Short mmCIF file of all heavy atoms in Angstrom, two decimals:
data_model
loop_
_atom_site.label_atom_id
_atom_site.label_comp_id
_atom_site.label_asym_id
_atom_site.label_seq_id
_atom_site.Cartn_x
_atom_site.Cartn_y
_atom_site.Cartn_z
N SER H 20 101.43 46.31 -64.03
CA SER H 20 101.78 46.94 -65.30
C SER H 20 101.79 45.90 -66.40
O SER H 20 102.03 44.71 -66.16
CB SER H 20 103.17 47.58 -65.21
OG SER H 20 103.20 48.60 -64.23
N CYS H 21 101.53 46.36 -67.61
CA CYS H 21 101.51 45.47 -68.76
C CYS H 21 102.04 46.22 -69.97
O CYS H 21 101.64 47.37 -70.22
CB CYS H 21 100.09 44.98 -69.03
SG CYS H 21 99.91 43.99 -70.53
N ALA H 22 102.91 45.56 -70.71
CA ALA H 22 103.45 46.14 -71.93
C ALA H 22 103.17 45.21 -73.10
O ALA H 22 103.36 43.99 -72.98
CB ALA H 22 104.95 46.37 -71.78
N ALA H 23 102.74 45.79 -74.19
CA ALA H 23 102.47 45.02 -75.40
C ALA H 23 103.63 45.16 -76.37
O ALA H 23 104.15 46.25 -76.56
CB ALA H 23 101.18 45.50 -76.06
N SER H 24 104.00 44.05 -76.96
CA SER H 24 105.03 44.08 -78.00
C SER H 24 104.50 43.38 -79.23
O SER H 24 103.55 42.60 -79.17
CB SER H 24 106.30 43.39 -77.50
OG SER H 24 106.05 42.02 -77.21
N GLY H 25 105.12 43.68 -80.37
CA GLY H 25 104.74 43.01 -81.60
C GLY H 25 103.67 43.71 -82.40
O GLY H 25 103.24 43.21 -83.43
N SER H 26 103.20 44.87 -81.91
CA SER H 26 102.18 45.60 -82.66
C SER H 26 102.74 46.93 -83.13
O SER H 26 103.29 47.69 -82.34
CB SER H 26 100.96 45.86 -81.78
OG SER H 26 100.03 46.69 -82.46
N ARG H 27 102.58 47.19 -84.42
CA ARG H 27 103.00 48.49 -84.95
C ARG H 27 101.88 49.51 -84.81
O ARG H 27 102.08 50.68 -85.12
CB ARG H 27 103.38 48.34 -86.41
CG ARG H 27 104.59 47.44 -86.66
CD ARG H 27 104.89 47.38 -88.14
NE ARG H 27 103.79 46.74 -88.88
CZ ARG H 27 103.57 46.91 -90.16
NH1 ARG H 27 104.33 47.72 -90.87
NH2 ARG H 27 102.57 46.29 -90.76
N PHE H 28 100.72 49.06 -84.35
CA PHE H 28 99.55 49.92 -84.30
C PHE H 28 99.10 50.14 -82.86
O PHE H 28 99.39 49.34 -81.98
CB PHE H 28 98.41 49.31 -85.12
CG PHE H 28 98.80 48.98 -86.52
CD1 PHE H 28 99.13 47.68 -86.88
CD2 PHE H 28 98.86 49.97 -87.48
CE1 PHE H 28 99.50 47.37 -88.17
CE2 PHE H 28 99.22 49.67 -88.77
CZ PHE H 28 99.56 48.37 -89.12
N ILE H 29 98.36 51.21 -82.66
CA ILE H 29 97.80 51.46 -81.35
C ILE H 29 96.65 50.47 -81.12
O ILE H 29 95.74 50.38 -81.93
CB ILE H 29 97.28 52.90 -81.24
CG1 ILE H 29 98.41 53.90 -81.47
CG2 ILE H 29 96.63 53.13 -79.89
CD1 ILE H 29 99.55 53.77 -80.49
N LEU H 30 96.74 49.76 -80.04
CA LEU H 30 95.69 48.80 -79.70
C LEU H 30 94.42 49.53 -79.32
O LEU H 30 94.46 50.53 -78.60
CB LEU H 30 96.16 47.89 -78.57
CG LEU H 30 97.38 47.04 -78.93
CD1 LEU H 30 97.99 46.41 -77.68
CD2 LEU H 30 97.01 45.97 -79.93
N TYR H 31 93.27 49.05 -79.78
CA TYR H 31 92.01 49.73 -79.54
C TYR H 31 91.72 49.82 -78.04
O TYR H 31 91.34 50.87 -77.52
CB TYR H 31 90.87 49.03 -80.24
CG TYR H 31 89.52 49.59 -79.85
CD1 TYR H 31 89.13 50.85 -80.28
CD2 TYR H 31 88.66 48.90 -78.99
CE1 TYR H 31 87.93 51.40 -79.87
CE2 TYR H 31 87.46 49.44 -78.60
CZ TYR H 31 87.10 50.69 -79.05
OH TYR H 31 85.91 51.24 -78.65
N ALA H 32 91.87 48.73 -77.35
CA ALA H 32 91.59 48.71 -75.91
C ALA H 32 92.65 47.89 -75.19
O ALA H 32 93.18 46.92 -75.74
CB ALA H 32 90.21 48.13 -75.64
N MET H 33 92.94 48.29 -73.98
CA MET H 33 93.80 47.51 -73.10
C MET H 33 93.17 47.52 -71.72
O MET H 33 92.42 48.44 -71.37
CB MET H 33 95.22 48.08 -73.03
CG MET H 33 95.97 48.01 -74.34
SD MET H 33 97.72 48.46 -74.15
CE MET H 33 98.37 46.97 -73.34
N GLY H 34 93.50 46.49 -70.94
CA GLY H 34 92.93 46.47 -69.61
C GLY H 34 93.28 45.21 -68.85
O GLY H 34 94.27 44.55 -69.16
N TRP H 35 92.43 44.90 -67.86
CA TRP H 35 92.69 43.81 -66.94
C TRP H 35 91.43 43.01 -66.66
O TRP H 35 90.35 43.57 -66.49
CB TRP H 35 93.23 44.36 -65.62
CG TRP H 35 94.51 45.10 -65.79
CD1 TRP H 35 94.66 46.43 -66.05
CD2 TRP H 35 95.82 44.55 -65.73
NE1 TRP H 35 96.00 46.73 -66.17
CE2 TRP H 35 96.72 45.59 -65.97
CE3 TRP H 35 96.33 43.26 -65.50
CZ2 TRP H 35 98.11 45.40 -65.98
CZ3 TRP H 35 97.69 43.07 -65.50
CH2 TRP H 35 98.57 44.13 -65.74
N TYR H 36 91.62 41.71 -66.63
CA TYR H 36 90.62 40.77 -66.16
C TYR H 36 91.25 39.96 -65.02
O TYR H 36 92.46 39.97 -64.85
CB TYR H 36 90.18 39.82 -67.27
CG TYR H 36 89.23 40.43 -68.26
CD1 TYR H 36 89.64 41.43 -69.15
CD2 TYR H 36 87.90 40.01 -68.34
CE1 TYR H 36 88.77 41.99 -70.07
CE2 TYR H 36 87.00 40.56 -69.25
CZ TYR H 36 87.46 41.55 -70.11
OH TYR H 36 86.58 42.10 -71.01
N ARG H 37 90.42 39.28 -64.25
CA ARG H 37 90.95 38.42 -63.20
C ARG H 37 90.14 37.15 -63.07
O ARG H 37 88.97 37.11 -63.48
CB ARG H 37 90.97 39.16 -61.85
CG ARG H 37 89.60 39.48 -61.29
CD ARG H 37 89.74 40.35 -60.04
NE ARG H 37 88.42 40.66 -59.45
CZ ARG H 37 88.26 41.51 -58.45
NH1 ARG H 37 89.32 42.14 -57.91
NH2 ARG H 37 87.05 41.73 -57.97
N GLN H 38 90.79 36.14 -62.49
CA GLN H 38 90.12 34.86 -62.30
C GLN H 38 90.54 34.27 -60.96
O GLN H 38 91.73 34.08 -60.70
CB GLN H 38 90.45 33.89 -63.43
CG GLN H 38 89.65 32.60 -63.38
CD GLN H 38 89.78 31.81 -64.67
OE1 GLN H 38 90.70 32.02 -65.46
NE2 GLN H 38 88.85 30.89 -64.90
N SER H 39 89.53 33.99 -60.13
CA SER H 39 89.76 33.35 -58.85
C SER H 39 89.48 31.86 -58.99
O SER H 39 88.75 31.45 -59.90
CB SER H 39 88.83 33.95 -57.78
OG SER H 39 88.99 35.33 -57.70
N PRO H 40 90.04 31.03 -58.11
CA PRO H 40 89.80 29.59 -58.19
C PRO H 40 88.31 29.27 -58.18
O PRO H 40 87.55 29.77 -57.34
CB PRO H 40 90.49 29.05 -56.94
CG PRO H 40 91.56 30.04 -56.66
CD PRO H 40 90.98 31.38 -57.03
N GLY H 41 87.88 28.47 -59.13
CA GLY H 41 86.50 28.04 -59.20
C GLY H 41 85.54 29.06 -59.80
O GLY H 41 84.34 28.82 -59.86
N LYS H 42 86.08 30.18 -60.25
CA LYS H 42 85.23 31.21 -60.83
C LYS H 42 85.63 31.49 -62.27
O LYS H 42 86.74 31.18 -62.70
CB LYS H 42 85.32 32.50 -60.01
CG LYS H 42 84.78 32.37 -58.60
CD LYS H 42 84.77 33.72 -57.91
CE LYS H 42 84.18 33.64 -56.52
NZ LYS H 42 84.16 34.97 -55.84
N GLN H 43 84.72 32.12 -62.99
CA GLN H 43 85.01 32.51 -64.36
C GLN H 43 85.86 33.78 -64.38
O GLN H 43 85.84 34.58 -63.44
CB GLN H 43 83.70 32.75 -65.12
CG GLN H 43 82.91 31.48 -65.42
CD GLN H 43 81.74 31.76 -66.34
OE1 GLN H 43 81.19 32.85 -66.37
NE2 GLN H 43 81.34 30.76 -67.11
N ARG H 44 86.57 33.95 -65.48
CA ARG H 44 87.35 35.17 -65.65
C ARG H 44 86.38 36.35 -65.75
O ARG H 44 85.36 36.27 -66.43
CB ARG H 44 88.21 35.08 -66.90
CG ARG H 44 89.24 36.16 -67.04
CD ARG H 44 90.17 35.90 -68.20
NE ARG H 44 90.95 34.69 -68.03
CZ ARG H 44 91.94 34.34 -68.85
NH1 ARG H 44 92.27 35.11 -69.88
NH2 ARG H 44 92.60 33.22 -68.64
N GLU H 45 86.70 37.43 -65.05
CA GLU H 45 85.81 38.59 -65.02
C GLU H 45 86.57 39.87 -65.31
O GLU H 45 87.76 39.99 -65.04
CB GLU H 45 85.13 38.70 -63.65
CG GLU H 45 86.08 38.94 -62.50
CD GLU H 45 85.38 39.13 -61.17
OE1 GLU H 45 84.14 39.02 -61.10
OE2 GLU H 45 86.09 39.41 -60.18
N LEU H 46 85.82 40.83 -65.84
CA LEU H 46 86.38 42.15 -66.12
C LEU H 46 86.78 42.84 -64.82
O LEU H 46 86.05 42.80 -63.84
CB LEU H 46 85.33 42.99 -66.83
CG LEU H 46 85.62 44.48 -66.94
CD1 LEU H 46 86.67 44.74 -68.01
CD2 LEU H 46 84.35 45.27 -67.24
N VAL H 47 87.95 43.49 -64.86
CA VAL H 47 88.33 44.39 -63.78
C VAL H 47 88.21 45.83 -64.27
O VAL H 47 87.45 46.63 -63.73
CB VAL H 47 89.77 44.11 -63.29
CG1 VAL H 47 90.16 45.11 -62.21
CG2 VAL H 47 89.89 42.68 -62.79
N ALA H 48 88.96 46.16 -65.31
CA ALA H 48 88.91 47.50 -65.88
C ALA H 48 89.52 47.49 -67.26
O ALA H 48 90.47 46.75 -67.52
CB ALA H 48 89.67 48.49 -65.00
N THR H 49 88.97 48.31 -68.14
CA THR H 49 89.53 48.48 -69.48
C THR H 49 89.53 49.95 -69.84
O THR H 49 88.77 50.75 -69.29
CB THR H 49 88.74 47.70 -70.54
OG1 THR H 49 87.38 48.16 -70.53
CG2 THR H 49 88.79 46.21 -70.32
N MET H 50 90.39 50.30 -70.80
CA MET H 50 90.45 51.66 -71.30
C MET H 50 90.67 51.60 -72.80
O MET H 50 91.55 50.88 -73.27
CB MET H 50 91.57 52.44 -70.63
CG MET H 50 91.71 53.87 -71.13
SD MET H 50 93.06 54.78 -70.34
CE MET H 50 92.26 55.28 -68.81
N THR H 51 89.88 52.36 -73.54
CA THR H 51 90.06 52.42 -74.98
C THR H 51 91.13 53.44 -75.34
O THR H 51 91.60 54.19 -74.47
CB THR H 51 88.75 52.80 -75.68
OG1 THR H 51 88.40 54.12 -75.27
CG2 THR H 51 87.63 51.83 -75.32
N ARG H 52 91.48 53.48 -76.60
CA ARG H 52 92.54 54.41 -77.02
C ARG H 52 92.11 55.86 -76.93
O ARG H 52 92.96 56.75 -76.94
CB ARG H 52 93.03 54.08 -78.42
CG ARG H 52 91.98 54.17 -79.49
CD ARG H 52 92.52 53.65 -80.81
NE ARG H 52 91.48 53.62 -81.83
CZ ARG H 52 91.63 53.01 -82.99
NH1 ARG H 52 92.76 52.37 -83.27
NH2 ARG H 52 90.66 53.02 -83.88
N ASP H 53 90.80 56.12 -76.82
CA ASP H 53 90.33 57.49 -76.62
C ASP H 53 90.01 57.74 -75.15
O ASP H 53 89.27 58.68 -74.83
CB ASP H 53 89.14 57.80 -77.50
CG ASP H 53 87.96 56.89 -77.23
OD1 ASP H 53 88.08 55.98 -76.39
OD2 ASP H 53 86.91 57.07 -77.87
N SER H 54 90.55 56.89 -74.28
CA SER H 54 90.49 57.06 -72.82
C SER H 54 89.14 56.79 -72.19
O SER H 54 88.92 57.16 -71.03
CB SER H 54 90.97 58.47 -72.41
OG SER H 54 92.30 58.67 -72.83
N SER H 55 88.26 56.14 -72.88
CA SER H 55 87.02 55.71 -72.27
C SER H 55 87.29 54.50 -71.38
O SER H 55 87.96 53.56 -71.79
CB SER H 55 86.00 55.35 -73.35
OG SER H 55 84.82 54.83 -72.78
N THR H 56 86.78 54.55 -70.14
CA THR H 56 87.06 53.48 -69.19
C THR H 56 85.80 52.70 -68.82
O THR H 56 84.67 53.20 -68.92
CB THR H 56 87.68 54.03 -67.90
OG1 THR H 56 86.78 54.98 -67.32
CG2 THR H 56 89.01 54.69 -68.18
N ASN H 57 86.03 51.47 -68.38
CA ASN H 57 84.96 50.61 -67.90
C ASN H 57 85.51 49.84 -66.71
O ASN H 57 86.56 49.20 -66.81
CB ASN H 57 84.52 49.64 -69.00
CG ASN H 57 83.32 48.81 -68.59
OD1 ASN H 57 82.52 49.23 -67.76
ND2 ASN H 57 83.19 47.63 -69.17
N TYR H 58 84.82 49.94 -65.57
CA TYR H 58 85.26 49.28 -64.35
C TYR H 58 84.19 48.31 -63.85
O TYR H 58 82.99 48.58 -63.97
CB TYR H 58 85.49 50.29 -63.23
CG TYR H 58 86.71 51.17 -63.36
CD1 TYR H 58 86.62 52.42 -63.97
CD2 TYR H 58 87.94 50.76 -62.85
CE1 TYR H 58 87.74 53.24 -64.07
CE2 TYR H 58 89.06 51.57 -62.95
CZ TYR H 58 88.95 52.81 -63.56
OH TYR H 58 90.06 53.62 -63.65
N ALA H 59 84.64 47.23 -63.25
CA ALA H 59 83.71 46.37 -62.54
C ALA H 59 83.20 47.12 -61.31
O ALA H 59 83.94 47.89 -60.69
CB ALA H 59 84.41 45.09 -62.09
N ASP H 60 81.94 46.93 -60.97
CA ASP H 60 81.37 47.61 -59.81
C ASP H 60 82.16 47.33 -58.54
O ASP H 60 82.29 48.20 -57.67
CB ASP H 60 79.92 47.19 -59.61
CG ASP H 60 78.99 47.76 -60.67
OD1 ASP H 60 79.38 48.73 -61.34
OD2 ASP H 60 77.87 47.23 -60.81
N SER H 61 82.70 46.13 -58.44
CA SER H 61 83.39 45.73 -57.22
C SER H 61 84.71 46.46 -56.99
O SER H 61 85.23 46.43 -55.87
CB SER H 61 83.66 44.21 -57.24
OG SER H 61 84.47 43.88 -58.36
N VAL H 62 85.23 47.12 -58.01
CA VAL H 62 86.53 47.80 -57.86
C VAL H 62 86.42 49.31 -58.00
O VAL H 62 87.41 50.02 -57.81
CB VAL H 62 87.58 47.25 -58.85
CG1 VAL H 62 87.69 45.74 -58.73
CG2 VAL H 62 87.28 47.67 -60.28
N LYS H 63 85.25 49.81 -58.36
CA LYS H 63 85.07 51.26 -58.54
C LYS H 63 85.43 52.00 -57.25
O LYS H 63 85.02 51.60 -56.16
CB LYS H 63 83.64 51.57 -58.95
CG LYS H 63 83.32 51.23 -60.39
CD LYS H 63 81.88 51.57 -60.75
CE LYS H 63 81.57 51.22 -62.20
NZ LYS H 63 80.15 51.47 -62.54
N GLY H 64 86.22 53.06 -57.41
CA GLY H 64 86.63 53.84 -56.26
C GLY H 64 87.88 53.32 -55.57
O GLY H 64 88.46 54.00 -54.73
N ARG H 65 88.29 52.12 -55.92
CA ARG H 65 89.51 51.54 -55.32
C ARG H 65 90.63 51.32 -56.34
O ARG H 65 91.80 51.47 -56.01
CB ARG H 65 89.18 50.18 -54.67
CG ARG H 65 88.14 50.27 -53.56
CD ARG H 65 88.01 48.94 -52.82
NE ARG H 65 87.56 47.85 -53.70
CZ ARG H 65 88.23 46.73 -53.88
NH1 ARG H 65 89.37 46.52 -53.27
NH2 ARG H 65 87.75 45.78 -54.69
N PHE H 66 90.25 50.96 -57.56
CA PHE H 66 91.24 50.69 -58.60
C PHE H 66 91.19 51.80 -59.64
O PHE H 66 90.12 52.34 -59.94
CB PHE H 66 90.93 49.37 -59.32
CG PHE H 66 91.12 48.13 -58.48
CD1 PHE H 66 91.35 48.18 -57.11
CD2 PHE H 66 91.07 46.88 -59.09
CE1 PHE H 66 91.51 47.03 -56.35
CE2 PHE H 66 91.24 45.72 -58.35
CZ PHE H 66 91.45 45.80 -56.99
#
């Protein structure tokens, strides 16, 4: 879970990225304020 503070406005997008040792940070999933989602192929169907 993640909560944002300090913003009086609705954030355009929120989501998750991850980083494993020795790897670059990568997208996991995001959702825009109109509920459009984007998932990494590796997590589709599981997350």
Side-chain angles (χ1 to χ4, degrees):
S20 298
C21 174
S24 62
S26 174
R27 296 181 295 158
F28 306 100
I29 300 300
L30 298 167
Y31 172 71
M33 295 189 75
W35 299 90
Y36 283 69
R37 67 186 181 187
Q38 187 167 18
S39 304
K42 295 186 178 180
Q43 289 188 332
R44 191 172 297 188
E45 63 177 4
L46 167 76
V47 177
T49 58
M50 179 181 278
T51 64
R52 60 188 175 192
D53 60 358
S54 300
S55 175
T56 58
N57 186 26
Y58 288 93
D60 288 342
S61 60
V62 306
K63 285 180 180 177
R65 299 189 298 123
F66 292 10

